[in-house]
Amino acid sequence: MFDVKKIRKDFPMITNHPEMIYFDNGATTYKPQCVIDAVKDFYENYTSNVERGDYPTAIKADRTYDQVREIIAELINCEPREVAFFANITAAMNQIAFSLSYDLKEGDTVLISEAEHASNVLPWFRLKQEKKINIRYIPLDKQGNVDLEGYAKCFDDTVKAVSVAYVGNVLGAVQPIREMSEIAHRYDALMIVDAAQAIGHRKVDIKEFDCDLLCFSSHKMCGPDGAGVLYGRYELLKKMKPLLLGGGMNARFADDGSVILKDPPHCFEAGTPNIEGVIGLGTAAKYLMNIGLNEIHEYEVDLRKYFLDKMIRLDNIEIYNPDNISGPLTFNVKGVFAQDAAGYLAANNACVRSGNHCAKILHNVIGTDQSIRASIYFYNTREEVDRFCELVAQIDLENAVNIFI
Ligand SMILES: Cc1ncc(COP(=O)(O)O)c(C=O)c1O
């Protein structure tokens, strides 16, 4: 039984700051006590490097770190050997673009959308500059949803990869990944998925998506910062060149310059990894699976509907994504600069993000590059939504602009 009151007790940030309305979960999420304890336990009881030591604490660190691959495999329905740890999505996306740079040639095309986060745009822009590939934008409706017919028309023989967010970070549009993969594969193009805003909010199932690569960050799913995952189909991972070279990822090298790399996923994990981050990520994944991803999703959809129903009654705001059923609510207070309105909310203990949310070409879709994003998670409540809506209703030009003066 999903019990939000009980769940809230798991989060020290909520216990320590009961006055705060934290609606910036799209940026990062709070961490439950079990994740904090797992990180602390590593530091206090078995600090050591991984894949290097032959003594008991190092072996425990190795085992605990490697077991997280199994936990993540269960979370996203893949094989443990298909799970490589990275610092975050940004690092994983750069790895993907780096390895594809060896396969792409001038005139090849990568499909992305104008709703993508910088980490799923800039690595492709670099390939556009350096390899002269084409970037083509998948048509979206005004609320960020992929138009499947328009998407299908983007394909020709030059398209080699599609890279999109499953759930958009500004509008929360949920893309039809399965259908998009099917079309991409008909053209032998790779399907790459940014699962940043989906992981930990709903089930993410590799087998159902039939995608080739997928990445996410631990900090957006109740885990520590600086840890993330790149899933890759194993045969594909075997062909990908690692971006980083160094210790931990090579099997041997010799004075004649020859190098033999380890098999995936280890060949992607050069240098000492974020061991405590990965261990915390495993604990976070188990915590979320124990509550149930479907239960979390249902609760969030219900809370967002409650939120929208209240916000839609306010006549001082414009909402950009009223028809999307999950993800953040993104809006502006009419006539008030987004950051000023966010300042008023901040001064009243409500945390949101304002600005362009790292999606700097999305203004082509929604017509503004400044908005307020209120992103809820499964530990938020109707009572917080009530308090938040009361605050939004109070914002006007006078009180908003003066808040930091
Ligand atoms: C959709 C999306 N993709 C990628 C990222 C980048 O995540 P990270 O900063 O953890 O690399 C974010 C972060 O907000 C995001 O929302």
Side-chain angles (χ1 to χ4, degrees), residues 128-146:
K128 180 178 158 78
Q129 283 157 10
E130 293 183 356
K131 303 282 295 193
K132 301 205 167 35
I133 66 156
N134 305 312
I135 307 287
R136 199 171 290 158
Y137 297 108
I138 302 163
L140 301 176
D141 72 12
K142 284 271 168 235
Q143 298 188 38
N145 296 283
V146 165

Side-chain angles (χ1 to χ4, degrees), residues 27-28 31 65 69 83-96 119 196 214-221 223-231 243-244 265 268-279 281:
T28 203
K31 321 301 170 200
Y65 180 86
R69 286 186 222 281
V83 173
F85 296 121
F86 279 76
N88 45 37
I89 295 182
T90 305
M93 275 293 179
N94 276 274
Q95 165 67 63
I96 293 171
S119 57
L214 177 142
C215 39
F216 57 89
S217 292
S218 149
H219 70 97
K220 298 206 196 272
M221 50 167 284
D225 301 328
V229 166
L230 167 62
Y231 153 82
L243 171 59
L244 297 182
F268 296 105
E269 296 171 13
T272 300
N274 181 353
I275 305 167
E276 65 278 28
V278 167
I279 290 170
L281 162 64

Side-chain angles (χ1 to χ4, degrees), residues 95-309:
Q95 165 67 63
I96 293 171
F98 172 80
S99 38
L100 274 184
S101 72
Y102 289 88
D103 302 322
L104 295 176
K105 56 182 189 324
E106 185 171 343
D108 283 346
T109 302
V110 173
L111 303 184
I112 61 172
S113 88
E114 289 176 320
E116 300 310 314
H117 184 278
S119 57
N120 191 22
V121 175
L122 300 189
W124 305 117
F125 277 8
R126 181 184 279 170
L127 293 188
K128 180 178 158 78
Q129 283 157 10
E130 293 183 356
K131 303 282 295 193
K132 301 205 167 35
I133 66 156
N134 305 312
I135 307 287
R136 199 171 290 158
Y137 297 108
I138 302 163
L140 301 176
D141 72 12
K142 284 271 168 235
Q143 298 188 38
N145 296 283
V146 165
D147 158 17
L148 261 185
E149 251 179 54
Y151 167 73
K153 286 187 191 141
C154 290
F155 281 84
D156 57 30
D157 291 344
T158 69
V159 177
K160 303 295 178 213
V162 179
S163 190
V164 288
Y166 175 31
V167 177
N169 69 319
V170 183
L171 299 170
V174 181
Q175 310 303 6
I177 299 296
R178 170 81 193 198
E179 290 81 353
M180 292 176 77
S181 291
E182 255 175 46
I183 297 172
H185 290 156
R186 261 187 247 150
Y187 287 82
D188 280 336
L190 292 177
M191 185 72 208
I192 305 161
V193 180
D194 166 352
Q197 300 291 340
I199 200 80
H201 291 264
R202 51 167 63 222
K203 277 220 161 124
V204 168
D205 186 321
I206 297 294
K207 302 257 167 10
E208 191 192 313
F209 281 179
D210 194 27
C211 59
D212 302 289
L213 296 156
L214 177 142
C215 39
F216 57 89
S217 292
S218 149
H219 70 97
K220 298 206 196 272
M221 50 167 284
C222 298
D225 301 328
V229 166
L230 167 62
Y231 153 82
R233 250 189 318 107
Y234 196 69
E235 288 314 308
L236 181 61
L237 286 182
K238 270 168 85 174
K239 288 189 215 146
M240 285 171 52
K241 243 185 218 293
L243 171 59
L244 297 182
L245 302 171
M249 55 81 72
N250 72 82
R252 74 177 72 97
F253 57 91
D255 52 10
D256 62 359
S258 60
V259 183
I260 299 177
L261 300 185
K262 287 187 181 166
D263 284 335
H266 306 283
C267 62
F268 296 105
E269 296 171 13
T272 300
N274 181 353
I275 305 167
E276 65 278 28
V278 167
I279 290 170
L281 162 64
T283 308
K286 277 207 276 194
Y287 174 77
L288 294 169
M289 286 191 283
N290 270 341
I291 295 174
L293 269 310
N294 287 337
E295 285 73 9
I296 288 173
H297 182 56
E298 264 171 42
Y299 179 81
E300 276 186 44
V301 168
D302 183 65
L303 186 61
R304 190 187 186 279
K305 185 173 178 313
Y306 179 79
F307 192 7
L308 176 70
D309 287 348

